[in-house]
Amino acid sequence: MIKLSNEQQKIVDLYEGQHLVLAPPGTGKTELLVHRLSNAINSGIPQEEIACLTFTNRAAENMVERVHQEIGDNDIFIGNIHSFCNRYLIKNNLIPQITSLLDEEDQRQMFSDVIFDVTKDIASDNSSMPNKLEGALKDLTNADYFSVSAILAHLSYLKRKDFKIVDSINYGALNLDTYTSLFSDPILSLECRKHVISLIYSRYEQLKDESNYIDFDDLLTLSYFNLSQKLPQDNFEITWLQVDEAQDLNPFQWGIIDKISDKKHSHRVFFGDYDQSIFSFMGASTESLKFISKTSVVHYMQINYRSPQYLLDLYNQYASNELAISSKFKPKAFNKVLKVKGDLRIKHFSRDQYDEANNIVTSEFPVDKDYSVAILVRTNESAEMYASQFKTNMPNVRIFKVSGVDLFSRRITKDALSVLNIFVNSRDKLSWSRVFHISTGQTLKQSRFIINSLFNAGINPIDILFNNANSSSLLDDFLHLYNSARLVVFDTETTGLNTNEDDIIQIAAIEIIKGVPGKIFEVYIDTNRDFKEAEKIHHISKEYLSDHAIEKHLALSDFVNFIGDSAIIAHNLDYDYKILNNNLERVGLPLIPQETKLYDSVDITQRLHPKLPRYKLEYLLKVFNIEGSNSHNAVDDVKATVGLIEHCIIEIESTKLSRMAYIDNETSKSLIKFSNNFMPLYELLSDNAKIINLGDVVSNVVSYIDDNFNSESRKYKDNAYVELKKLIEHMNHICQEQSILKGIKKYIPDYFKYKEVDLKLKKDNVVIATVYKAKGLEFDFVIIPQCTENTYPSYFSIKKEQKNDISGVQEDARLLYVAMTRAKKRLLITYTSYTIPIKAVRKYYQCPSRFLKSIRALFDR
């Protein structure tokens, strides 16, 4: 590890109480977080009681990598608060295992379906309101992104109100007058507006429940509600907590933090910076830090390891004059680097923003190609303008433009990742709905209905592919085999979990002949492997094997003979089947024949009960009140599995008619089309032998969809392919070449956590992004164009200021501070005399930003 300063060591050595560490950019915060985690583990704190909360997945990924480098494998939680809540809900069996998480684009698509359904309801309503309500819904249908976000905020409020947690968290009940901001119709009454939102809320929750979807707000709401149900003495699961970017948390997230930890019982350290709070639209506020500071020991980090003193002087002066932050603990540079001409510049362009962009791109790009460069703008339109300038004037420069619409929200990306994700999680209904949609042409709404119907009937869409659209159920096939033939239920105990290398030390099996349990098979097998860790689970000792085991070849041969040509079934079959075949291969015995029918009691239970939170044998025995014990001795586990199978058989028999009731003529046609269209692509991606990079897999999937599924009107646009190159290049650079299926299963889950900015590679010369999306990044050279009034502060903030609301101006001042503090060596700020609005002919005179007045003297001009 890097040697720490005395200032840093004091923070690392904190071991009790509550603390707030005010750490401006460049003060070595990441080092502190990693060292503190290492100290916590080495001091003996149980790893399950340690948590490090970050603001973004990107920060979490970096932290996980650093911690792994420093302390090796560990079980501590590192992630954002949504990930923590997701883990909490899963760990405590509070959401079904089949649950899918909606991202923002999925929400918007569902929201369109909700509007459609509510419009139909209103049209059939005989009250006096339908006409006006229908008009209001047309408003919403045509709403831009911000209107949809406002409605979702109201839905969040209503959900929390249903859970009776709004007031208890001081969430800030939305003023009913804010409903007027959602519709442009000024005549519509407030009660009418409230009624519309109530209808939308009810239908949105119904759709999510039908499909087993939750959104990010549900993660927070459900976690807070369930944490609140526990007794006070049971609330403190986390005894050691550190929180990064604390200034960006909203009040509800602070409430969750207080539920999982407590000042009296937990050691809590919050890292924050008043000047970096720019997420007020998400509910964040500097007031939270001020409140925490009153109950914490406050520490100030002064030594800056990233920026030279001339930049720190600029930041200090700006903070003092524009952010009203006056502190005796001002950051100081660790390294003495002298400022040279050109390191700090303000440049004025007498024409408009297009001339400004042309000059910056053609004249300001640094000669030193090793410099990391960022052009940070206020709007997505400006980002597009600069990207266009580079394409025209500097085509050989690699730029990375962070799109206005995040790449992972685009149809082309969501289609490709959904196709690949079904190989990672074959029960992901969200991915299957999109796959069904793209391969059949059905609407997403209808596709969602069909996929829900399939799972409710105990049918996985993969069954449709392999049965050539025959809707006969695996459950009914299993029922027929159970009642008419012989099958073998088996289980293994092993030296470890590596199916390729570990040894089987116990096998137990029970035959079932025409529904009647028969002979029991049991054998112990000796091994030279060390299995002390596994012994803690199955309690089979080396000494016991010495007394009871038989020769390995003979034992496995006897078991194969016991199976004969019967079907086999196990609980979590994949593991037992793989390790059995690998053990057979190592002793020179034939593998289990490919024609052997295989069943998994986990799969059967999931089909009958798709909404259970887990399917471990011990849990199922308890839920269904089945006699037996999941002791991790193979004999006990096989007997328990037989009991579970008998329970399932009764349910399969009693539910057959109701399960298959959804099949009608139109659905059958759609299933046939799905099977015919998607099966060729499914087979291509199932190749476990062909070695290929994951980026090329994505490219091939997208081409296949466009060539075979998309109608002419739905073809991916050229710019969609251009944006997708970011993902493909990242995959080809990061992901190791391996078989298609292995590559998909290894890497795709991580990409579902990414935002577009996470795809930037070191070889990208210039980043073009809005300030919001660049937060947390740093560059050698930062250029901030269009630094005028109406941009910093924005036109909307100035309008609010005219009504005596200066909150927008204050946040814009912090936003510019965030932009400036991305620079590690050089900073260029520019402004123009005129601005030409998009789609306008007239140009408008502009003044330089008011925020520049107090710092102009520090810049070269």
Side-chain angles (χ1 to χ4, degrees), residues 234-301:
D234 295 331
N235 277 345
F236 313 115
E237 296 182 344
I238 302 300
T239 61
W240 192 100
L241 174 73
Q242 60 184 13
V243 180
D244 190 17
E245 304 286 4
Q247 76 279 350
D248 292 328
L249 297 172
N250 64 41
F252 198 74
Q253 292 168 336
W254 279 106
I256 291 172
I257 287 172
D258 283 337
K259 290 294 180 184
I260 64 173
S261 63
D262 179 81
K263 181 183 177 182
K264 292 182 179 179
H265 301 82
S266 307
H267 171 47
R268 310 199 301 182
V269 179
F270 305 103
F271 290 80
D273 182 2
Y274 287 111
D275 308 341
Q276 297 283 318
S277 183
I278 62 171
F279 289 100
S280 67
F281 64 91
M282 296 171 63
S285 170
T286 56
E287 295 303 313
S288 296
L289 282 190
K290 292 177 182 177
F291 177 79
I292 288 293
S293 68
K294 295 176 182 178
T295 57
S296 305
V297 179
V298 182
H299 307 265
Y300 298 87
M301 304 301 295

Side-chain angles (χ1 to χ4, degrees), residues 560-577:
V560 170
N561 290 333
F562 183 79
I563 294 174
D565 59 358
S566 299
I568 58 176
I569 182 171
H571 199 75
N572 192 18
L573 173 78
D574 187 59
Y575 172 79
D576 292 292
Y577 180 73

Side-chain angles (χ1 to χ4, degrees), residues 571 601-628 640-651:
H571 199 75
S601 54
V602 172
D603 178 44
I604 289 171
T605 312
Q606 286 173 336
R607 291 168 182 268
L608 286 167
H609 299 275
K611 295 189 177 185
L612 289 179
R614 63 175 55 194
Y615 295 89
K616 288 186 177 294
L617 185 56
E618 182 180 17
Y619 179 82
L620 297 176
L621 295 178
K622 182 178 179 181
V623 167
F624 299 137
N625 195 26
I626 297 171
E627 288 188 14
T641 303
V642 169
L644 174 63
I645 292 169
E646 290 173 339
H647 173 86
C648 290
I649 287 295
I650 295 171
E651 290 198 68

